[in-house]
Amino acid sequence: MRKNLRRCSIAELGQALRTGRLSCVALVESVLSNIKAQNPYHKAFILILEDRALKEAMKAQAELDNGLDRGPLHGIPYAVKGIFEVEGVANTAGMDYSFEHIALSDAASITLLKEAGAVLVGITNTSPLAATILGINHVFGTPHNPWKSAAYIPGGSSSGAAVAVSAGMVPFALGSDTGGSIRVPASLCGVVGFKPTKGWLSTKGVWPLAPSLDTIGLIGRTVEDVKMVYSCLHNKNTGNGSLKNDAQIHKTAQQKPVNHDIRIGCCSTIFLDDTEPEVITALEKSIKILSNLVFTEPILAALKPRVSTIEIPAIRALRKMMKETSFIASEAYPLHQRIIEDPNIDWVLNWLQSAAKHSKEDTLNIKKQYRKIAKQLSLSQYDLEILVVPATPIPATLLADCDAPTPHAQLSAIYSRNTLMANLAGWCSISVPCGLTKDGLPIGLMLCADAQNEALLISVAAAFEQASGYQSMVPSTKTYLTSGNTFQ
């Protein structure tokens, strides 16, 4: 049976590379060819790194031929969001702005992936300054959501990364998430988006937006793919760009022991307000699946899920603060004042100007207020390990319906509401596909866990994915090219 490269998991690609059914160079050449064919339509990439990719692929293959295997990512192609430093390349952060900044070295995460043998093939499109949630970009073009022939928003700000993975252009991509910038596009494009605990992956060499919330994360086709990449990055990284020693790796990489049923809560406080009926229906079906999960991992095999509906009163206070002031804008404005105040800057960034009136003292007070509420939002306080809510209250919207200041602002508040609350609460979280609307648009389920509980979060997400069968979903429109290179 022949396999299409664009539908293969990282593990399947790795096995083909190790058995000689596929070479690293042939794989990368196929990926590059596919990107070139699709990108004029999808606008997922702003730069294809062909020379670098082929050079890294040839090195990866030579190492395999000589018996050096760097691990599961050896020879696997990937992309990075356009805010990561790539040596010798201008970091534009999604803008056409009059500044010159050529990266002198790779971002920390890219360096680690290079050491793992992964092959960087390109830089993906992003919302300007990585600061908007719908994915609109008037400079490089708004990436096309692969699930529709008409122009629907991809979500942002890791828009190109989500589109590239959803359209089968790369197996995985690095992104960033400050208020939902990985999970929202993953949800709207029908792929997996993972935001680990703040600081768990290094932000060194990544354009900042709001440093107190900025988080590096991953977009992949399946939970297992995301887990594989995250394990590589986390097990080698302290979060500040330096490498861990063996004792640190042993301490942080292990699954926290759970000796009771896994308590999963669906929170109806705020998270379900103004949510479209089809999303509610998908959530209800997901809860039934979660209630009957069977865990195959030895450490969880004897455990059962216990699902309940709960209220979290502190969420209302957090939502009230979100409406009154913006944590992100208060941090971003001092960092990027020159850009934000430029009269020629794209109007999608106008919301950041709201923080112009904040003094340093105001900004500190805003942070203190948010942190005070966040202390009340540990899931363990509510007898929970996992919280499940819709990743977004509504599926993707037509681009034409939000490409103007007023609807853009209104819809941005809707799309970012659930994901941003997870950032402010300090939870790690992941969005996984949980169904389609009658119009064929993906719906995402967001699972959250307390900080540093990634292992259990990923385990539950993987079990849900396998039980639901949604990991096999691919766009059915002509925008998803099913042809392409295959291997036996």
Side-chain angles (χ1 to χ4, degrees):
M1 178 179 178
R2 301 195 67 84
K3 289 182 174 289
N4 191 310
L5 294 179
R6 300 179 56 201
R7 297 290 300 276
C8 289
S9 68
I10 291 175
E12 288 173 326
L13 291 173
Q15 184 182 37
L17 293 174
R18 285 165 182 78
T19 57
R21 291 176 293 149
L22 183 66
S23 76
C24 298
V25 175
L27 173 57
V28 169
E29 285 178 339
S30 175
V31 167
L32 291 171
S33 175
N34 188 38
I35 291 172
K36 291 176 185 177
Q38 289 200 81
N39 203 54
Y41 179 83
H42 280 301
K43 301 181 182 69
F45 286 81
I46 61 171
L47 186 63
I48 303 170
L49 301 171
E50 184 169 9
D51 290 344
R52 172 172 173 157
L54 289 173
K55 190 176 297 184
E56 289 185 354
M58 286 187 282
K59 179 185 177 183
Q61 186 59 49
E63 288 177 341
L64 285 178
D65 291 343
N66 290 312
L68 174 58
D69 186 342
R70 294 181 179 270
L73 301 184
H74 193 123
I76 304 298
Y78 75 101
V80 296
K81 183 178 181 177
I83 62 171
F84 282 72
E85 301 275 85
V86 176
E87 185 177 0
V89 177
N91 187 343
T92 66
M95 298 176 292
D96 179 16
Y97 200 71
S98 57
F99 70 92
E100 292 185 2
H101 174 68
I102 305 298
L104 299 178
S105 60
D106 289 337
S109 294
I110 296 176
T111 298
L112 292 175
L113 288 175
K114 187 174 183 178
E115 292 173 359
V119 178
L120 179 61
V121 297
I123 299 172
T124 58
N125 203 344
T126 177
S127 304
L129 205 59
T132 67
I133 205 72
L134 303 188
I136 293 174
N137 189 304
H138 295 123
V139 174
F140 296 104
T142 300
H144 190 114
N145 191 317
W147 287 82
K148 284 289 185 179
S149 296
Y152 276 71
I153 60 168
S157 60
S158 303
S159 49
V163 169
V165 174
S166 179
M169 300 164 89
V170 286
F172 76 93
L174 293 185
S176 68
D177 192 310
T178 305
S181 287
I182 286 174
R183 292 154 295 152
V184 169
S187 174
L188 300 188
C189 291
V191 290
V192 177
F194 173 52
K195 182 202 80 71
T197 299
K198 169 75 180 77
W200 234 222
L201 298 182
S202 174
T203 56
K204 184 179 179 182
V206 180
W207 186 287
L209 178 60
S212 293
L213 296 177
D214 291 345
T215 308
I216 302 307
L218 303 161
I219 294 176
R221 296 172 186 164
T222 67
V223 176
E224 188 60 34
D225 284 351
V226 165
K227 177 182 178 181
M228 200 172 289
V229 181
Y230 175 66
S231 296
C232 168
L233 290 174
H234 177 242
N235 286 352
K236 297 267 185 170
N237 203 311
T238 63
N240 61 10
S242 59
L243 297 183
K244 294 178 178 179
N245 58 41
D246 291 341
Q248 288 174 311
I249 292 173
H250 181 74
K251 180 179 179 181
T252 60
Q254 294 186 61
Q255 168 83 60
K256 292 182 179 179
V258 180
N259 54 14
H260 51 71
D261 288 348
I262 296 176
R263 300 161 300 190
I264 301 172
C266 178
C267 181
S268 58
T269 313
I270 299 297
F271 287 108
L272 303 186
D273 290 358
D274 302 316
T275 298
E276 286 198 2
E278 287 186 283
V279 176
I280 294 290
T281 299
L283 175 65
E284 291 171 345
K285 290 180 179 178
S286 298
I287 290 172
K288 289 181 180 178
I289 293 171
L290 287 164
S291 299
N292 295 291
L293 287 184
V294 176
F295 300 103
T296 57
E297 295 180 52
I299 196 169
L300 301 177
L303 306 181
K304 297 182 181 300
R306 176 161 61 85
V307 181
S308 60
T309 300
I310 66 161
E311 292 283 344
I312 302 179
I315 288 290
R316 296 196 184 281
L318 183 60
R319 176 62 175 161
K320 184 173 183 291
M321 277 206 71
M322 286 168 61
K323 289 182 176 180
E324 293 174 349
T325 186
S326 170
F327 189 111
I328 294 174
S330 68
E331 284 208 335
Y333 185 83
L335 286 176
H336 307 298
Q337 183 175 352
R338 178 170 68 97
I339 295 172
I340 295 168
E341 291 186 346
D342 188 320
N344 298 315
I345 200 67
D346 196 327
W347 56 260
V348 299
L349 294 176
N350 287 349
W351 70 279
L352 294 172
Q353 296 172 357
S354 65
K357 61 182 181 293
H358 294 162
S359 65
K360 288 185 178 179
E361 185 178 355
D362 291 334
T363 300
L364 288 173
N365 286 334
I366 290 169
K367 288 182 182 180
K368 287 179 181 177
Q369 291 178 60
Y370 274 110
R371 286 169 179 162
K372 183 178 180 180
I373 295 174
K375 289 180 180 178
Q376 305 171 45
L377 290 171
S378 168
L379 296 178
S380 62
Q381 295 181 37
Y382 296 90
D383 198 30
L384 293 178
E385 273 83 46
I386 302 291
L387 182 74
V388 293
V389 297
T392 62
I394 60 177
T397 303
L398 279 164
L399 174 59
D401 289 345
C402 54
D403 198 6
T406 297
H408 186 276
Q410 292 170 341
L411 284 167
S412 293
I414 293 171
Y415 279 109
S416 63
R417 183 194 67 201
N418 291 1
T419 53
L420 177 54
M421 282 200 252
N423 291 69
L424 295 172
W427 301 327
C428 54
S429 62
I430 188 169
S431 175
V432 295
C434 69
L436 295 171
T437 68
K438 65 179 185 301
D439 292 328
L441 290 165
I443 300 170
L445 180 73
M446 184 169 70
L447 294 84
C448 306
D450 280 336
Q452 304 179 21
N453 207 11
E454 280 85 350
L456 180 62
L457 175 69
I458 291 173
S459 294
V460 174
F464 171 81
E465 182 182 70
Q466 288 297 316
S468 69
Y470 292 127
Q471 76 273 18
S472 62
M473 290 194 337
V474 293
S476 59
T477 67
K478 293 180 181 178
T479 68
Y480 185 90
L481 306 178
T482 55
S483 61
N485 288 349
T486 62
F487 67 93
Q488 187 69 42

